[in-house]
């Protein structure tokens, strides 16, 4: 059955929680501030306060999030979103740094850059590519699987002097599960022990057949350190992206994914959001996972303030009420009431799920002792 906590009920009526507790007592119900009360009781309380109650169903609350599909004539070409994956220390971040240096915009701007984990590189041709960095460490499996979900193409980085390692294999699995094409970057070609043929051979064991072996997977020999073949890699990515014919509707309320989120002193909760479709603007009200907010400011990967962000654009968003989690869905909603409703509904669901989990945990502990 539907329940609501005393605190939440108080919030929704904009009344103080102790007053709600008093009213409940008058009705013969003893409740603490965090106690859930059933919908019928809540409705009586609401009436006592002279408000009118409106029960909302799950559909009411979540409707409009992840809204309708776009018509083909609304679709506009967008840059590919490329996630860089691979084993720890194989050079993912170095490769991204090197690619960013080829960014015409960044070299013009003089390059005050921020580390937001997602970048958009503009090539000399004018084509743009959005890159997402992922850590290779095994503790970050969840992050990598989320990375594979928001992405159009995976660049698999393999160190030429090392070979296929556990996180390389895991990245291949993620890419396959997400049905995302892979471009292989055989990195550290400057190193004396570099053996790209062996890498291509080993990839066969994981059903990744590169062109040189008669397959259709592109593999580029690069060196992040010596800046070798970076343009070739970009061209390979663009070739893949042309085949995918990527499009999105920029003219709708924005939807996207939280790529990174943290609490910062003096700035509050900030999150890097990658827009999937629609356009995000300063002032927009949004829900992200169990949190909501209003866009106070947006900052691009060059540290510049921007007024709007369209499809495949990564921006740092300020104005969250709380800190969301990486991987959370981000949706603009029509007004604050809706945002509050959705966020509190999701928070309640999360609490309920946690309660079930901890109840299960203590049961297991109990049985373990017997
Ligand atoms: P994690 O994020 O920890 O998984 O590592 P990563 O894959 O991002 O690797 P990172 O870019 O941090 O590089 C790891 C080490 O390899 C650093 O010491 C780099 O300087 C070195 N490195 C990266 N690319 C190259 C390269 O092309 N040649 C050589 N010789 N060294 C490289
Ligand atoms: Mg790294």
């Amino acid at each position: 059955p539907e329940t609501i906590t005393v605190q939440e009920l108080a919030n929704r009526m904009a009344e103080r929680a102790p007053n709600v507790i008093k009213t409940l007592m008058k009705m013969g119900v003893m409740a603490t501030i965090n106690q859930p009360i059933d919908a019928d009781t809540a409705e009586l309380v609401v009436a006592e306060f002279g408000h009118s109650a409106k029960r909302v169903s799950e559909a009411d609350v979540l409707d409009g999030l992840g809204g309708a599909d776009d018509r083909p004539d609304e679709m506009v070409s967008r840059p590919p979103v490329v996630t860089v994956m691979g084993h720890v220390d194989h050079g993912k971040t170095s490769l991204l740094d090197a690619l960013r240096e080829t960014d015409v915009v960044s070299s013009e701007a003089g390059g005050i850059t921020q580390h937001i984990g997602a970048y958009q590189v503009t090539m000399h041709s004018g084509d743009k590519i959005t890159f997402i960095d992922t850590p290779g460490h095994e503790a970050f499996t969840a992050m990598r699987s989320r990375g594979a979900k928001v992405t159009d193409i995976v660049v698999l980085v393999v160190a030429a002097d090392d070979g296929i390692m556990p996180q390389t294999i895991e990245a291949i699995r993620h890419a396959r599960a997400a049905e995302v094409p892979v471009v292989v970057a055989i990195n550290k070609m400057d190193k004396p022990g570099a053996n790209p043929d062996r890498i291509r051979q080993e990839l066969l064991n994981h059903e990744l057949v590169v062109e040189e072996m008669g397959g259709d997977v592109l593999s580029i020999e690069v060196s992040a350190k010596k800046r070798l073949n970076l343009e070739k890699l970009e061209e390979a990515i663009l070739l893949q992206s042309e085949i995918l014919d990527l499009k999105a509707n920029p003219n709708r309320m924005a939807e996207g994914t939280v790529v990174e989120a943290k609490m910062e002193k003096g700035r509050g909760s900030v999150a890097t959001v990658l827009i999937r479709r629609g356009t995000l603007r300063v002032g927009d009200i949004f829900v992200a996972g169990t949190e909501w907010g209003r866009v106070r400011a947006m900052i691009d990967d060059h540290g510049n303030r921007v007024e709007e962000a369209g499809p495949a654009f990564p921006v740092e968003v300020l104005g969250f009420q709380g800190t969301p989690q990486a991987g959370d869905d981000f949706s603009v909603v029509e007004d604050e009431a809706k945002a509050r409703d959705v966020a509190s509904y999701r928070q309640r669901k999360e609490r309920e799920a946690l309660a079930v989990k901890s109840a299960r945990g203590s049961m297991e502990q109990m049985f373990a002792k017997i």
Side-chain angles (χ1 to χ4, degrees), residues 84-97 133-138 140 144 157 159 161 167 186-192 222-228:
V84 182
M85 296 182 162
H87 195 68
V88 61
D89 277 351
H90 278 196
K92 299 175 291 296
T93 305
S94 305
L95 195 55
L96 263 178
D97 286 347
D133 196 3
T134 62
H137 193 274
E138 53 207 322
F140 292 96
R144 281 197 298 276
V157 179
D161 63 334
Q167 271 77 62
I186 304 179
N187 190 33
K188 307 202 186 185
M189 282 303 292
D190 59 290
K191 281 200 151 183
V222 299
S223 163
K225 191 176 178 186
K226 293 273 151 67
R227 311 182 48 77
L228 179 79

mmCIF file of all heavy atoms in Angstrom, residues 84-97 133-138 140 144 157 159 161 167 186-192 222-228, ligand 1:
data_model
loop_
_atom_site.group_PDB
_atom_site.id
_atom_site.type_symbol
_atom_site.label_atom_id
_atom_site.label_comp_id
_atom_site.label_asym_id
_atom_site.label_seq_id
_atom_site.Cartn_x
_atom_site.Cartn_y
_atom_site.Cartn_z
ATOM 1 N N VAL A 84 36.424 5.838 -23.742
ATOM 2 C CA VAL A 84 37.762 5.253 -23.812
ATOM 3 C C VAL A 84 37.891 4.247 -22.674
ATOM 4 O O VAL A 84 37.739 4.595 -21.509
ATOM 5 C CB VAL A 84 38.836 6.354 -23.699
ATOM 6 C CG1 VAL A 84 40.229 5.760 -23.815
ATOM 7 C CG2 VAL A 84 38.614 7.411 -24.778
ATOM 8 N N MET A 85 38.135 2.999 -23.050
ATOM 9 C CA MET A 85 38.210 1.934 -22.048
ATOM 10 C C MET A 85 39.494 1.126 -22.224
ATOM 11 O O MET A 85 40.105 1.145 -23.284
ATOM 12 C CB MET A 85 37.026 0.978 -22.200
ATOM 13 C CG MET A 85 35.683 1.606 -21.929
ATOM 14 S SD MET A 85 34.382 0.381 -22.083
ATOM 15 C CE MET A 85 33.083 1.199 -21.213
ATOM 16 N N GLY A 86 39.842 0.393 -21.203
ATOM 17 C CA GLY A 86 41.015 -0.465 -21.305
ATOM 18 C C GLY A 86 41.596 -0.759 -19.944
ATOM 19 O O GLY A 86 41.110 -0.259 -18.926
ATOM 20 N N HIS A 87 42.632 -1.562 -19.942
ATOM 21 C CA HIS A 87 43.243 -1.977 -18.681
ATOM 22 C C HIS A 87 43.938 -0.804 -18.000
ATOM 23 O O HIS A 87 44.329 0.160 -18.656
ATOM 24 C CB HIS A 87 44.252 -3.104 -18.941
ATOM 25 C CG HIS A 87 44.646 -3.832 -17.695
ATOM 26 N ND1 HIS A 87 43.770 -4.629 -16.999
ATOM 27 C CD2 HIS A 87 45.813 -3.857 -17.005
ATOM 28 C CE1 HIS A 87 44.376 -5.134 -15.943
ATOM 29 N NE2 HIS A 87 45.618 -4.673 -15.919
ATOM 30 N N VAL A 88 44.080 -0.924 -16.690
ATOM 31 C CA VAL A 88 44.711 0.122 -15.899
ATOM 32 C C VAL A 88 46.127 0.426 -16.440
ATOM 33 O O VAL A 88 46.855 -0.490 -16.824
ATOM 34 C CB VAL A 88 44.731 -0.289 -14.404
ATOM 35 C CG1 VAL A 88 45.531 -1.557 -14.177
ATOM 36 C CG2 VAL A 88 45.222 0.836 -13.517
ATOM 37 N N ASP A 89 46.422 1.709 -16.556
ATOM 38 C CA ASP A 89 47.744 2.193 -16.995
ATOM 39 C C ASP A 89 48.079 1.935 -18.468
ATOM 40 O O ASP A 89 49.235 2.073 -18.861
ATOM 41 C CB ASP A 89 48.870 1.601 -16.127
ATOM 42 C CG ASP A 89 49.052 2.386 -14.834
ATOM 43 O OD1 ASP A 89 48.423 3.462 -14.717
ATOM 44 O OD2 ASP A 89 49.807 1.932 -13.967
ATOM 45 N N HIS A 90 47.117 1.537 -19.258
ATOM 46 C CA HIS A 90 47.423 1.331 -20.669
ATOM 47 C C HIS A 90 47.440 2.646 -21.463
ATOM 48 O O HIS A 90 47.775 2.654 -22.630
ATOM 49 C CB HIS A 90 46.464 0.300 -21.290
ATOM 50 C CG HIS A 90 46.910 -1.104 -21.014
ATOM 51 N ND1 HIS A 90 46.430 -2.198 -21.694
ATOM 52 C CD2 HIS A 90 47.819 -1.590 -20.121
ATOM 53 C CE1 HIS A 90 47.017 -3.302 -21.237
ATOM 54 N NE2 HIS A 90 47.847 -2.954 -20.273
ATOM 55 N N GLY A 91 47.056 3.747 -20.787
ATOM 56 C CA GLY A 91 47.231 5.064 -21.397
ATOM 57 C C GLY A 91 45.961 5.742 -21.873
ATOM 58 O O GLY A 91 46.004 6.591 -22.764
ATOM 59 N N LYS A 92 44.825 5.419 -21.262
ATOM 60 C CA LYS A 92 43.546 6.035 -21.671
ATOM 61 C C LYS A 92 43.558 7.544 -21.470
ATOM 62 O O LYS A 92 43.240 8.309 -22.385
ATOM 63 C CB LYS A 92 42.389 5.419 -20.853
ATOM 64 C CG LYS A 92 42.242 3.920 -21.064
ATOM 65 C CD LYS A 92 41.182 3.336 -20.165
ATOM 66 C CE LYS A 92 41.568 3.341 -18.689
ATOM 67 N NZ LYS A 92 42.732 2.482 -18.384
ATOM 68 N N THR A 93 43.922 7.953 -20.242
ATOM 69 C CA THR A 93 43.902 9.392 -19.946
ATOM 70 C C THR A 93 44.961 10.127 -20.759
ATOM 71 O O THR A 93 44.704 11.215 -21.284
ATOM 72 C CB THR A 93 44.092 9.613 -18.430
ATOM 73 O OG1 THR A 93 43.085 8.862 -17.739
ATOM 74 C CG2 THR A 93 43.954 11.074 -18.054
ATOM 75 N N SER A 94 46.125 9.516 -20.907
ATOM 76 C CA SER A 94 47.179 10.145 -21.711
ATOM 77 C C SER A 94 46.726 10.340 -23.150
ATOM 78 O O SER A 94 46.981 11.380 -23.761
ATOM 79 C CB SER A 94 48.442 9.276 -21.726
ATOM 80 O OG SER A 94 48.870 9.007 -20.424
ATOM 81 N N LEU A 95 46.049 9.337 -23.676
ATOM 82 C CA LEU A 95 45.575 9.410 -25.057
ATOM 83 C C LEU A 95 44.537 10.524 -25.199
ATOM 84 O O LEU A 95 44.576 11.304 -26.157
ATOM 85 C CB LEU A 95 44.978 8.058 -25.452
ATOM 86 C CG LEU A 95 44.763 7.817 -26.945
ATOM 87 C CD1 LEU A 95 46.052 8.017 -27.721
ATOM 88 C CD2 LEU A 95 44.226 6.402 -27.173
ATOM 89 N N LEU A 96 43.656 10.607 -24.217
ATOM 90 C CA LEU A 96 42.641 11.674 -24.241
ATOM 91 C C LEU A 96 43.293 13.046 -24.150
ATOM 92 O O LEU A 96 42.914 13.967 -24.872
ATOM 93 C CB LEU A 96 41.673 11.490 -23.071
ATOM 94 C CG LEU A 96 40.392 10.776 -23.427
ATOM 95 C CD1 LEU A 96 39.529 10.589 -22.202
ATOM 96 C CD2 LEU A 96 39.631 11.602 -24.467
ATOM 97 N N ASP A 97 44.282 13.157 -23.273
ATOM 98 C CA ASP A 97 44.994 14.441 -23.152
ATOM 99 C C ASP A 97 45.628 14.816 -24.479
ATOM 100 O O ASP A 97 45.564 15.959 -24.910
ATOM 101 C CB ASP A 97 46.076 14.351 -22.063
ATOM 102 C CG ASP A 97 45.479 14.367 -20.658
ATOM 103 O OD1 ASP A 97 44.278 14.692 -20.542
ATOM 104 O OD2 ASP A 97 46.201 14.061 -19.700
ATOM 105 N N ASP A 133 36.208 9.541 -20.386
ATOM 106 C CA ASP A 133 37.313 8.772 -19.817
ATOM 107 C C ASP A 133 36.742 7.810 -18.775
ATOM 108 O O ASP A 133 35.791 8.133 -18.080
ATOM 109 C CB ASP A 133 38.296 9.735 -19.143
ATOM 110 C CG ASP A 133 39.651 9.104 -18.864
ATOM 111 O OD1 ASP A 133 39.848 7.931 -19.237
ATOM 112 O OD2 ASP A 133 40.509 9.792 -18.282
ATOM 113 N N THR A 134 37.297 6.633 -18.682
ATOM 114 C CA THR A 134 36.905 5.722 -17.607
ATOM 115 C C THR A 134 38.170 5.205 -16.936
ATOM 116 O O THR A 134 39.202 5.064 -17.573
ATOM 117 C CB THR A 134 36.108 4.495 -18.113
ATOM 118 O OG1 THR A 134 36.946 3.737 -18.994
ATOM 119 C CG2 THR A 134 34.841 4.901 -18.832
ATOM 120 N N PRO A 135 38.107 4.922 -15.638
ATOM 121 C CA PRO A 135 39.271 4.371 -14.962
ATOM 122 C C PRO A 135 39.400 2.880 -15.259
ATOM 123 O O PRO A 135 38.389 2.189 -15.401
ATOM 124 C CB PRO A 135 38.956 4.597 -13.480
ATOM 125 C CG PRO A 135 37.541 5.080 -13.405
ATOM 126 C CD PRO A 135 36.942 5.064 -14.760
ATOM 127 N N GLY A 136 40.641 2.420 -15.336
ATOM 128 C CA GLY A 136 40.860 1.012 -15.647
ATOM 129 C C GLY A 136 40.817 0.111 -14.428
ATOM 130 O O GLY A 136 40.707 -1.098 -14.548
ATOM 131 N N HIS A 137 40.900 0.730 -13.260
ATOM 132 C CA HIS A 137 40.964 -0.069 -12.044
ATOM 133 C C HIS A 137 39.708 -0.921 -11.864
ATOM 134 O O HIS A 137 38.604 -0.495 -12.169
ATOM 135 C CB HIS A 137 41.137 0.846 -10.832
ATOM 136 C CG HIS A 137 41.524 0.107 -9.602
ATOM 137 N ND1 HIS A 137 40.589 -0.461 -8.777
ATOM 138 C CD2 HIS A 137 42.721 -0.186 -9.083
ATOM 139 C CE1 HIS A 137 41.221 -1.065 -7.782
ATOM 140 N NE2 HIS A 137 42.521 -0.908 -7.951
ATOM 141 N N GLU A 138 39.894 -2.119 -11.349
ATOM 142 C CA GLU A 138 38.766 -3.059 -11.284
ATOM 143 C C GLU A 138 37.635 -2.597 -10.371
ATOM 144 O O GLU A 138 36.513 -3.031 -10.517
ATOM 145 C CB GLU A 138 39.229 -4.454 -10.881
ATOM 146 C CG GLU A 138 40.056 -4.496 -9.617
ATOM 147 C CD GLU A 138 41.007 -5.683 -9.619
ATOM 148 O OE1 GLU A 138 40.595 -6.732 -10.105
ATOM 149 O OE2 GLU A 138 42.142 -5.539 -9.140
ATOM 150 N N PHE A 140 36.109 -0.067 -10.546
ATOM 151 C CA PHE A 140 35.220 0.816 -11.276
ATOM 152 C C PHE A 140 34.365 0.123 -12.324
ATOM 153 O O PHE A 140 33.930 0.720 -13.283
ATOM 154 C CB PHE A 140 36.016 1.954 -11.922
ATOM 155 C CG PHE A 140 36.581 2.886 -10.910
ATOM 156 C CD1 PHE A 140 37.879 2.740 -10.473
ATOM 157 C CD2 PHE A 140 35.795 3.888 -10.366
ATOM 158 C CE1 PHE A 140 38.407 3.592 -9.516
ATOM 159 C CE2 PHE A 140 36.310 4.745 -9.410
ATOM 160 C CZ PHE A 140 37.623 4.595 -8.980
ATOM 161 N N ARG A 144 32.293 1.650 -15.642
ATOM 162 C CA ARG A 144 32.562 1.257 -17.025
ATOM 163 C C ARG A 144 31.298 0.746 -17.705
ATOM 164 O O ARG A 144 31.088 1.014 -18.876
ATOM 165 C CB ARG A 144 33.684 0.224 -17.088
ATOM 166 C CG ARG A 144 35.055 0.857 -16.945
ATOM 167 C CD ARG A 144 36.145 -0.082 -17.405
ATOM 168 N NE ARG A 144 36.175 -1.282 -16.594
ATOM 169 C CZ ARG A 144 36.809 -1.378 -15.435
ATOM 170 N NH1 ARG A 144 37.445 -0.339 -14.958
ATOM 171 N NH2 ARG A 144 36.794 -2.483 -14.764
ATOM 172 N N VAL A 157 41.721 0.823 -25.540
ATOM 173 C CA VAL A 157 43.154 1.115 -25.499
ATOM 174 C C VAL A 157 43.895 -0.118 -24.980
ATOM 175 O O VAL A 157 43.578 -0.639 -23.910
ATOM 176 C CB VAL A 157 43.444 2.331 -24.598
ATOM 177 C CG1 VAL A 157 44.943 2.620 -24.525
ATOM 178 C CG2 VAL A 157 42.685 3.560 -25.109
ATOM 179 N N ALA A 159 47.899 -1.454 -24.407
ATOM 180 C CA ALA A 159 49.315 -1.106 -24.461
ATOM 181 C C ALA A 159 50.065 -2.160 -25.271
ATOM 182 O O ALA A 159 49.978 -3.357 -24.980
ATOM 183 C CB ALA A 159 49.893 -0.995 -23.056
ATOM 184 N N ASP A 161 53.031 -2.966 -25.402
ATOM 185 C CA ASP A 161 54.100 -3.710 -24.727
ATOM 186 C C ASP A 161 53.548 -4.591 -23.608
ATOM 187 O O ASP A 161 54.300 -5.172 -22.845
ATOM 188 C CB ASP A 161 55.125 -2.725 -24.142
ATOM 189 C CG ASP A 161 54.506 -1.827 -23.076
ATOM 190 O OD1 ASP A 161 53.275 -1.601 -23.131
ATOM 191 O OD2 ASP A 161 55.236 -1.371 -22.174
ATOM 192 N N GLN A 167 41.015 -6.162 -17.508
ATOM 193 C CA GLN A 167 40.087 -5.057 -17.772
ATOM 194 C C GLN A 167 39.906 -4.795 -19.270
ATOM 195 O O GLN A 167 38.934 -4.182 -19.667
ATOM 196 C CB GLN A 167 40.535 -3.773 -17.060
ATOM 197 C CG GLN A 167 39.978 -3.655 -15.649
ATOM 198 C CD GLN A 167 40.714 -4.535 -14.668
ATOM 199 O OE1 GLN A 167 41.909 -4.361 -14.463
ATOM 200 N NE2 GLN A 167 40.033 -5.500 -14.087
ATOM 201 N N ILE A 186 46.043 0.726 -30.349
ATOM 202 C CA ILE A 186 47.203 0.015 -29.798
ATOM 203 C C ILE A 186 48.210 1.087 -29.403
ATOM 204 O O ILE A 186 48.852 1.704 -30.254
ATOM 205 C CB ILE A 186 47.774 -0.992 -30.824
ATOM 206 C CG1 ILE A 186 46.659 -1.966 -31.253
ATOM 207 C CG2 ILE A 186 48.963 -1.742 -30.221
ATOM 208 C CD1 ILE A 186 47.077 -2.991 -32.284
ATOM 209 N N ASN A 187 48.292 1.325 -28.105
ATOM 210 C CA ASN A 187 49.049 2.478 -27.583
ATOM 211 C C ASN A 187 50.473 2.080 -27.170
ATOM 212 O O ASN A 187 50.815 0.902 -27.130
ATOM 213 C CB ASN A 187 48.279 3.068 -26.395
ATOM 214 C CG ASN A 187 48.845 4.397 -25.934
ATOM 215 O OD1 ASN A 187 49.362 5.185 -26.738
ATOM 216 N ND2 ASN A 187 48.761 4.659 -24.641
ATOM 217 N N LYS A 188 51.262 3.082 -26.866
ATOM 218 C CA LYS A 188 52.652 2.936 -26.397
ATOM 219 C C LYS A 188 53.534 2.307 -27.473
ATOM 220 O O LYS A 188 54.441 1.505 -27.167
ATOM 221 C CB LYS A 188 52.720 2.122 -25.085
ATOM 222 C CG LYS A 188 51.810 2.660 -23.970
ATOM 223 C CD LYS A 188 52.242 2.225 -22.591
ATOM 224 C CE LYS A 188 51.224 2.662 -21.539
ATOM 225 N NZ LYS A 188 51.630 2.374 -20.164
ATOM 226 N N MET A 189 53.239 2.671 -28.749
ATOM 227 C CA MET A 189 54.021 2.136 -29.860
ATOM 228 C C MET A 189 55.476 2.614 -29.808
ATOM 229 O O MET A 189 56.341 2.047 -30.478
ATOM 230 C CB MET A 189 53.365 2.534 -31.195
ATOM 231 C CG MET A 189 52.155 1.703 -31.557
ATOM 232 S SD MET A 189 52.512 -0.064 -31.648
ATOM 233 C CE MET A 189 53.584 -0.102 -33.091
ATOM 234 N N ASP A 190 55.733 3.666 -29.032
ATOM 235 C CA ASP A 190 57.114 4.172 -28.917
ATOM 236 C C ASP A 190 57.981 3.281 -28.040
ATOM 237 O O ASP A 190 59.204 3.380 -28.041
ATOM 238 C CB ASP A 190 57.075 5.589 -28.322
ATOM 239 C CG ASP A 190 56.421 5.608 -26.951
ATOM 240 O OD1 ASP A 190 55.182 5.409 -26.872
ATOM 241 O OD2 ASP A 190 57.127 5.783 -25.957
ATOM 242 N N LYS A 191 57.352 2.394 -27.297
ATOM 243 C CA LYS A 191 58.122 1.584 -26.344
ATOM 244 C C LYS A 191 58.892 0.464 -27.055
ATOM 245 O O LYS A 191 58.386 -0.122 -28.020
ATOM 246 C CB LYS A 191 57.189 0.985 -25.294
ATOM 247 C CG LYS A 191 56.791 1.984 -24.209
ATOM 248 C CD LYS A 191 56.320 1.230 -22.993
ATOM 249 C CE LYS A 191 56.573 1.972 -21.710
ATOM 250 N NZ LYS A 191 56.158 1.157 -20.551
ATOM 251 N N PRO A 192 60.068 0.148 -26.573
ATOM 252 C CA PRO A 192 60.910 -0.864 -27.228
ATOM 253 C C PRO A 192 60.217 -2.229 -27.350
ATOM 254 O O PRO A 192 60.362 -2.909 -28.355
ATOM 255 C CB PRO A 192 62.130 -0.985 -26.310
ATOM 256 C CG PRO A 192 62.120 0.220 -25.436
ATOM 257 C CD PRO A 192 60.732 0.759 -25.404
ATOM 258 N N VAL A 222 49.106 3.724 -32.086
ATOM 259 C CA VAL A 222 49.321 5.099 -31.642
ATOM 260 C C VAL A 222 50.347 5.181 -30.513
ATOM 261 O O VAL A 222 50.735 4.164 -29.930
ATOM 262 C CB VAL A 222 47.999 5.740 -31.124
ATOM 263 C CG1 VAL A 222 46.941 5.794 -32.209
ATOM 264 C CG2 VAL A 222 47.474 4.995 -29.906
ATOM 265 N N SER A 223 50.786 6.404 -30.268
ATOM 266 C CA SER A 223 51.546 6.680 -29.063
ATOM 267 C C SER A 223 51.050 7.993 -28.501
ATOM 268 O O SER A 223 51.169 9.027 -29.162
ATOM 269 C CB SER A 223 53.050 6.776 -29.369
ATOM 270 O OG SER A 223 53.707 7.427 -28.291
ATOM 271 N N ALA A 224 50.488 7.921 -27.305
ATOM 272 C CA ALA A 224 49.999 9.149 -26.670
ATOM 273 C C ALA A 224 51.192 10.033 -26.344
ATOM 274 O O ALA A 224 51.145 11.248 -26.503
ATOM 275 C CB ALA A 224 49.230 8.808 -25.403
ATOM 276 N N LYS A 225 52.274 9.389 -25.949
ATOM 277 C CA LYS A 225 53.452 10.127 -25.522
ATOM 278 C C LYS A 225 54.105 10.854 -26.692
ATOM 279 O O LYS A 225 54.442 12.026 -26.589
ATOM 280 C CB LYS A 225 54.450 9.145 -24.899
ATOM 281 C CG LYS A 225 55.589 9.813 -24.177
ATOM 282 C CD LYS A 225 56.475 8.773 -23.518
ATOM 283 C CE LYS A 225 57.659 9.425 -22.828
ATOM 284 N NZ LYS A 225 58.562 8.370 -22.316
ATOM 285 N N LYS A 226 54.290 10.144 -27.823
ATOM 286 C CA LYS A 226 54.961 10.742 -28.992
ATOM 287 C C LYS A 226 53.964 11.373 -29.955
ATOM 288 O O LYS A 226 54.338 11.815 -31.034
ATOM 289 C CB LYS A 226 55.797 9.666 -29.708
ATOM 290 C CG LYS A 226 56.983 9.174 -28.896
ATOM 291 C CD LYS A 226 58.194 10.046 -29.133
ATOM 292 C CE LYS A 226 59.165 10.127 -27.984
ATOM 293 N NZ LYS A 226 59.898 8.949 -27.615
ATOM 294 N N ARG A 227 52.673 11.353 -29.585
ATOM 295 C CA ARG A 227 51.604 11.928 -30.388
ATOM 296 C C ARG A 227 51.594 11.340 -31.800
ATOM 297 O O ARG A 227 51.467 12.063 -32.789
ATOM 298 C CB ARG A 227 51.721 13.453 -30.435
ATOM 299 C CG ARG A 227 51.913 14.084 -29.044
ATOM 300 C CD ARG A 227 51.980 15.590 -29.088
ATOM 301 N NE ARG A 227 50.909 16.145 -29.890
ATOM 302 C CZ ARG A 227 49.666 16.252 -29.494
ATOM 303 N NH1 ARG A 227 49.340 15.857 -28.291
ATOM 304 N NH2 ARG A 227 48.744 16.747 -30.275
ATOM 305 N N LEU A 228 51.729 10.047 -31.849
ATOM 306 C CA LEU A 228 51.795 9.333 -33.124
ATOM 307 C C LEU A 228 50.402 8.864 -33.554
ATOM 308 O O LEU A 228 49.692 8.236 -32.760
ATOM 309 C CB LEU A 228 52.732 8.129 -32.935
ATOM 310 C CG LEU A 228 52.958 7.205 -34.132
ATOM 311 C CD1 LEU A 228 53.953 7.840 -35.097
ATOM 312 C CD2 LEU A 228 53.472 5.845 -33.650
HETATM 313 P P1 LIG B 1 44.022 4.376 -15.369
HETATM 314 O O1 LIG B 1 43.132 5.573 -15.540
HETATM 315 O O2 LIG B 1 44.670 4.321 -14.039
HETATM 316 O O3 LIG B 1 43.343 3.102 -15.731
HETATM 317 O O4 LIG B 1 45.268 4.539 -16.402
HETATM 318 P P2 LIG B 1 45.230 5.086 -17.869
HETATM 319 O O5 LIG B 1 44.869 3.997 -18.807
HETATM 320 O O6 LIG B 1 44.479 6.329 -17.932
HETATM 321 O O7 LIG B 1 46.779 5.365 -18.118
HETATM 322 P P3 LIG B 1 47.541 6.767 -18.049
HETATM 323 O O8 LIG B 1 47.169 7.631 -19.194
HETATM 324 O O9 LIG B 1 47.418 7.313 -16.700
HETATM 325 O O10 LIG B 1 49.030 6.280 -18.340
HETATM 326 C C1 LIG B 1 49.680 5.323 -17.543
HETATM 327 C C2 LIG B 1 51.173 5.458 -17.733
HETATM 328 O O11 LIG B 1 51.541 5.123 -19.063
HETATM 329 C C3 LIG B 1 51.692 6.878 -17.507
HETATM 330 O O12 LIG B 1 52.918 6.811 -16.839
HETATM 331 C C4 LIG B 1 51.880 7.408 -18.913
HETATM 332 O O13 LIG B 1 52.871 8.397 -18.986
HETATM 333 C C5 LIG B 1 52.262 6.149 -19.669
HETATM 334 N N1 LIG B 1 51.912 6.253 -21.086
HETATM 335 C C6 LIG B 1 50.699 6.520 -21.596
HETATM 336 N N2 LIG B 1 50.753 6.526 -22.949
HETATM 337 C C7 LIG B 1 52.020 6.243 -23.278
HETATM 338 C C8 LIG B 1 52.711 6.117 -24.549
HETATM 339 O O14 LIG B 1 52.150 6.238 -25.650
HETATM 340 N N3 LIG B 1 54.019 5.775 -24.484
HETATM 341 C C9 LIG B 1 54.681 5.611 -23.327
HETATM 342 N N4 LIG B 1 55.984 5.304 -23.381
HETATM 343 N N5 LIG B 1 54.086 5.756 -22.138
HETATM 344 C C10 LIG B 1 52.768 6.064 -22.112
#
